[in-house]
Amino acid sequence: MGERNASSFGFISRNFLFFLLAITSILFSLSWFFVLRSTGSPHFVDHSLLSNSAPPSIIDNGSSKESKPKSLDHVKNSVQEEELPQKKKDIKCNKNKKGVLKVYMYDLPPQFHFELLDWKSQGGSVWPDIRTRIPHYPGGLNLQHSIEYWLTLDLLASELPDNPSACGAIRVHNSSGADIIFVPFFSSLSYNKYSKKSPQKNKINNKVLQEKVVRFVTSQEEWKRSGGRDHLIVAHHPNSMLDARTKLWPAMFILADFGRYPPHIANVDKDVIAPYKHMVKSYVNDTSEFDSRPILLYFQGAIYRKDGGSVRHELFYLLKDEKDVHFSFGSVQKNGIHQASQGMHSSKFCLNIAGDTPSSNRLFDAIASHCVPVIISDEIELPYEDILDYSEFCIFVRTSDAVKENFLINLVRNIKKDEWTHMRDRLKEVQRFFEFQFPSKEGDAVQMIWQAVARKVPAMRRNIHKSRRFSRTVTGKEEGLKLIPSQPNFW
């Protein structure tokens, strides 16, 4: 009997020890799961945006009839019809949410923004009621530099109780609690509409608007408080803000490239590069393969350009007789955009060659077409390149190599089906980062630009804080000590 009890006791002890060991293992695994989960990404960098996911459907303000929303309800319905899986209704933007960029936007008079779209203010309102009607942005080449329009709409939407947009940035009305101060001047559209002198006026209207913006902004307490370092100004067209940029240079600019800027006014450390809005149609439901795209290399655009763009006509003479290369003059006139869409959708590789400036819309047309970009532009700067590796889906060729006989055509011909397919698949994954739309969606161009701005904020704050080290200088005089403010040291 005693032996049987002892045996039973040993059996129970072994079971208890096994049970205790199992519980301990489970708890240990859970503890590591929560530790790893808590050590996430840096505050402003949402690396989940770089996951392999399909591009969103595009609701934009382009040239097609179905993409000209007249009211917010119409836009929201369109999005809901196309995006069934995720339903995030009644979720408001929370300014205290981690990672949300807090933006103070000046209430500039309408003549600087939506009046340029022929919107008329009702009852003295500065902003349109986007719940009832969204002012339409003019089409054609105007659209490629429309970045300020999309950012402004996104900030206005962030104030709605049922905000339909993603919450990368939110408008706040207390500038002291803001991360950045946004100047809502539609500078690219101002240049496109008013850069020529009117016969009735002595001054170009675009210059007049720039002068007014400079006077307004530099007179604000927010500008004086930081010397303008925490201000955000969009000047995406290379010729926009030509006069004002020399006076507002301490601010952070959103630009297409640095081609027409001296480095003390704009540089990669201070400013943000944003994509162009592509002009060709996005290649929706693309089932094409390597062998079903008959054109090897595609270029259509202006061939004779000045400055760094002179390489275009050299390449034209090198490539014009290659049977599977399309290299021809083209423009937006005479159905040019439709022709470019068809051509790029039928091509394996698309040339993006420097023009009058290092960048062009052609790169983003190629991305939207899933046509592997071949970039020949030594001075180009690319959007989000601090978190996005363009070598995964683009081919870069130095200009000096590209103009060597047979160099470029041999390079492209030697890229085989598997390598091209891998790059094409990556293009499909990153395409959404370059799509402008309203309402904005997680990971689209609007949200990626806000994140790029947010990643500049810590360095911007550091520079503001450093400039205040000697904001007061103690000077000894016979009548006693006197405190006088010192001049800020910009950058």
Side-chain angles (χ1 to χ4, degrees), residues 271-290:
D271 304 302
V272 170
I273 296 296
Y276 292 64
K277 187 184 187 305
H278 63 79
M279 303 299 296
V280 305
K281 272 189 172 182
S282 297
Y283 201 165
V284 181
N285 301 322
D286 175 15
T287 58
S288 65
E289 297 293 340
F290 183 83

Side-chain angles (χ1 to χ4, degrees), residues 142-261:
N142 289 298
L143 271 172
Q144 63 181 337
H145 297 296
S146 57
I147 286 69
E148 56 264 51
Y149 170 77
W150 305 103
L151 295 181
T152 304
L153 282 179
D154 194 59
L155 289 178
L156 294 175
S158 74
E159 299 188 278
L160 299 178
D162 55 344
N163 175 25
S165 297
C167 291
I170 185 170
R171 188 184 185 190
V172 297
H173 291 273
N174 183 352
S175 62
S176 62
D179 298 309
I180 203 82
I181 313 293
F182 184 59
V183 181
F185 176 37
F186 290 6
S187 61
S188 295
L189 188 57
S190 174
Y191 173 79
N192 283 331
K193 288 187 75 171
Y194 299 136
S195 58
K196 294 181 180 178
K197 188 179 290 187
S198 169
Q200 293 83 20
K201 297 184 180 179
N202 295 325
K203 264 194 170 180
I204 297 173
N205 278 350
N206 180 45
K207 288 192 173 186
V208 172
L209 285 178
Q210 288 183 66
E211 290 170 2
K212 289 181 177 179
V213 165
V214 169
R215 282 200 301 271
F216 175 90
V217 171
T218 56
S219 68
Q220 302 302 305
E221 286 303 316
E222 287 80 9
W223 180 274
K224 296 174 182 176
R225 190 167 61 208
S226 68
R229 287 190 187 88
D230 58 357
H231 282 53
L232 181 66
I233 299 171
V234 184
H236 199 261
H237 192 292
N239 292 329
S240 61
M241 302 288 282
L242 274 175
D243 300 295
R245 66 178 66 166
T246 60
K247 301 174 179 67
L248 300 178
W249 61 268
M252 185 190 304
F253 291 122
I254 295 180
L255 307 170
D257 57 51
F258 300 119
R260 294 181 180 169
Y261 286 80

Side-chain angles (χ1 to χ4, degrees), residues 42 76 136 174 205 246 281 301 305 351 382-383 441 448 485:
K76 286 164 67 178
H136 177 64
N174 183 352
N205 278 350
T246 60
K281 272 189 172 182
R305 308 301 286 177
L351 279 168
L382 297 166
K441 296 180 185 178
M448 291 292 282

Side-chain angles (χ1 to χ4, degrees), residues 332-345:
V332 296
Q333 307 297 325
K334 298 180 180 179
N335 210 27
I337 293 176
H338 177 68
Q339 291 174 5
S341 294
Q342 288 186 320
M344 287 186 162
H345 291 183

Side-chain angles (χ1 to χ4, degrees), residues 59-110:
I59 311 296
D60 64 18
N61 211 354
S63 54
S64 60
K65 290 181 181 178
E66 64 271 18
S67 61
K68 295 180 182 177
K70 297 300 182 185
S71 70
L72 190 56
D73 291 337
H74 174 80
V75 178
K76 286 164 67 178
N77 290 338
S78 300
V79 174
Q80 289 167 2
E81 288 170 9
E82 301 207 28
E83 192 181 27
L84 297 176
Q86 46 185 342
K87 194 173 182 181
K88 294 185 179 180
K89 292 205 72 175
D90 302 321
I91 299 178
K92 300 177 183 178
C93 283
N94 182 355
K95 67 181 180 181
N96 296 317
K97 180 184 173 184
K98 186 178 180 181
V100 172
L101 184 72
K102 295 185 281 293
V103 183
Y104 178 82
M105 179 165 66
Y106 285 130
D107 283 320
L108 276 176

Side-chain angles (χ1 to χ4, degrees), residues 242-397:
L242 274 175
D243 300 295
R245 66 178 66 166
T246 60
K247 301 174 179 67
L248 300 178
W249 61 268
M252 185 190 304
F253 291 122
I254 295 180
L255 307 170
D257 57 51
F258 300 119
R260 294 181 180 169
Y261 286 80
H264 73 278
I265 287 181
N267 56 76
V268 73
D269 295 321
K270 177 175 75 74
D271 304 302
V272 170
I273 296 296
Y276 292 64
K277 187 184 187 305
H278 63 79
M279 303 299 296
V280 305
K281 272 189 172 182
S282 297
Y283 201 165
V284 181
N285 301 322
D286 175 15
T287 58
S288 65
E289 297 293 340
F290 183 83
D291 295 325
S292 65
R293 291 187 174 225
I295 302 171
L296 175 68
L297 190 60
Y298 184 90
F299 177 89
Q300 183 163 305
I303 294 176
Y304 298 97
R305 308 301 286 177
K306 55 190 177 185
D307 301 328
S310 61
V311 67
R312 289 188 183 185
H313 69 261
E314 293 186 58
L315 289 172
F316 170 73
Y317 289 112
L318 286 171
L319 299 171
K320 64 184 179 67
D321 295 327
E322 297 289 340
K323 59 181 175 58
D324 50 358
V325 172
H326 176 96
F327 200 121
S328 71
F329 175 82
S331 70
V332 296
Q333 307 297 325
K334 298 180 180 179
N335 210 27
I337 293 176
H338 177 68
Q339 291 174 5
S341 294
Q342 288 186 320
M344 287 186 162
H345 291 183
S346 303
S347 302
K348 298 178 179 70
F349 300 94
C350 288
L351 279 168
N352 179 72
I353 314 169
D356 295 341
T357 59
S359 67
S360 80
N361 192 48
R362 205 163 280 102
L363 168 61
F364 308 101
D365 285 343
I367 292 172
S369 304
H370 310 149
C371 179
V372 175
V374 179
I375 299 174
I376 305 171
S377 180
D378 298 346
E379 303 301 321
I380 195 170
E381 294 289 348
L382 297 166
Y384 339 127
E385 199 170 10
D386 55 336
I387 60 169
L388 195 59
D389 184 357
Y390 280 77
S391 68
E392 295 176 348
F393 53 89
C394 295
I395 298 166
F396 293 85
V397 182

